[in-house]
Amino acid sequence: MKKILALVLAFAFIFSFAACTKEPTVSNAHAKKELVMATNAAFPPYEYKEGDSFKGIDIEIAEAIAEKLGMTLVIKDVEFGTIIGGVKTGKFDIGMAGMTVTEDRKVNVNFSKPYATGIQVVIVKEDCKYKSYEEFWSKFDEKGNPAEVAKGIKIGVQQDTTGDIYASDTLDNWGFTADNVICYKTGAEAVQALMTNKVMAVIIDNEPAKSFVKANKGLKIMDAAYTEEEYAIAVSKENTELLEKINKALDELTADGTIKKIIDKYIPAEEK
Ligand code: ARG
């Protein structure tokens, strides 16, 4: 009997001790859920870094959406080509990166309603002798032997973007073939390669192109006849509830003028 009492006391002692030393826990019941957004923040004015903070159209629209959803926005700056895969597997809740809706991407993720548009343009050195993309491209093919002619014509792109897809396409589709394309991790790196003559041109979305041309002396934009692309938010195919909430938030933010205000802040009307 004494033994049992001793055992009971010992247990009571251990438990009371455990209770005392337990970390004080803060109730998580009221903490906001996180909305994890994957982006690639070298794509001004849609997303870029200023010191440690993220800036840009996508960042502000995502913040407005998170607020409507009662969630806290968490931004992950990753390689562009890993965004779709990460959204698909649930590593990220959303992908928002000036991301064009394409049929290939739609196989892996769902897209929200589009919130902006873009076109692909070609950045070249100011002294580039070709007036248009068509002229530039036709020189490439002038001897009917593209690989030969192309030796001096390398095109820089950001890997896995629509610019990469167009540039790497076959000649029949107005591309330059993959052999003549150099892929960089960011658009900014592709532009640096142009500045240092490692490539002759960079194919990229028009708004980042304007930002890069503004920030680097001696560059200009050549219009190209690419079709308009729509930018939307990628969400996992499994998370249809989140997709619906995002679409509703986008509708409301469009109706009350918030989205227009954000876009106008980064892309002044006279530059559109
Ligand atoms: N619109 C292009 C695409 O979807 C380029 C996007 C690149 N975005 C970025 N944040 N780096 O392929």
Side-chain angles (χ1 to χ4, degrees):
M1 183 65 197
K2 258 192 188 158
K3 257 191 194 159
I4 293 175
L5 193 68
L7 219 64
V8 169
L9 282 173
F11 268 113
F13 176 74
I14 290 167
F15 277 119
S16 62
F17 185 70
C20 289
T21 55
K22 222 171 136 202
E23 291 275 305
T25 52
V26 180
S27 163
N28 265 335
H30 299 295
K32 282 194 195 169
K33 266 189 89 180
E34 290 184 344
L35 181 67
V36 180
M37 160 180 167
T39 194
N40 174 258
F43 197 70
Y46 286 94
E47 44 267 328
Y48 55 97
K49 286 191 90 173
E50 234 174 54
D52 279 343
S53 60
F54 292 102
K55 291 265 156 73
I57 295 171
D58 288 348
I59 310 292
E60 291 202 22
I61 293 179
E63 262 160 9
I65 291 173
E67 200 183 309
K68 282 213 176 276
L69 269 51
M71 298 171 91
T72 307
L73 184 70
V74 175
I75 298 166
K76 304 271 185 213
D77 188 13
V78 300
E79 270 176 32
F80 185 76
T82 65
I83 297 176
I84 296 278
V87 169
K88 186 178 174 174
T89 59
K91 189 172 173 193
F92 314 123
D93 298 318
I94 60 171
M96 198 170 179
M99 185 178 284
T100 306
V101 179
T102 70
E103 290 308 312
D104 280 352
R105 291 173 183 165
K106 269 167 48 183
V107 172
N108 291 305
V109 292
N110 280 337
F111 279 102
S112 70
K113 298 181 174 182
Y115 61 88
T117 56
I119 49 163
Q120 297 297 309
V121 296
V122 184
I123 312 177
V124 288
K125 285 276 185 76
E126 221 157 42
D127 56 8
C128 173
K129 55 180 185 282
Y130 306 123
K131 293 275 164 302
S132 66
Y133 178 68
E134 285 74 12
E135 193 191 344
F136 176 66
W137 183 87
S138 66
K139 289 293 174 224
F140 168 82
D141 196 17
E142 66 193 350
K143 292 188 190 124
N145 184 352
E148 253 335 283
V149 181
K151 274 190 183 135
I153 306 185
K154 293 281 183 202
I155 309 294
V157 295
Q158 179 182 13
Q159 191 160 7
D160 298 319
T161 58
T162 44
D164 180 8
I165 296 163
Y166 290 132
S168 307
D169 211 336
T170 57
L171 296 167
D172 300 344
N173 287 326
W174 285 85
F176 293 88
T177 73
D179 290 349
N180 299 308
V181 174
I182 304 183
C183 293
Y184 295 89
K185 291 253 184 289
T186 62
E189 283 170 71
V191 170
Q192 281 318 304
L194 175 61
M195 295 293 288
T196 51
N197 296 318
K198 291 200 182 77
V199 295
M200 253 188 89
V202 170
I203 300 187
I204 196 162
D205 305 49
N206 56 333
E207 289 304 335
K210 282 191 227 160
S211 296
F212 291 133
V213 167
K214 221 186 215 173
N216 296 278
K217 264 213 170 94
L219 300 180
K220 69 174 180 188
I221 293 175
M222 227 159 45
D223 280 333
Y226 289 119
T227 48
E228 193 170 82
E229 298 178 9
E230 289 185 323
Y231 295 167
I233 303 170
V235 184
S236 154
K237 288 202 184 249
E238 268 142 47
N239 208 348
T240 48
E241 196 190 321
L242 180 64
L243 182 70
E244 270 167 36
K245 284 187 191 162
I246 288 175
N247 277 336
K248 187 168 169 271
L250 280 173
D251 280 345
E252 289 169 10
L253 293 166
T254 305
D256 72 6
T258 306
I259 296 203
K260 188 180 178 306
K261 215 158 105 196
I262 294 172
I263 294 178
D264 287 351
K265 174 175 158 192
Y266 287 93
I267 309 173
E270 67 271 13
E271 282 183 19
K272 278 192 185 139

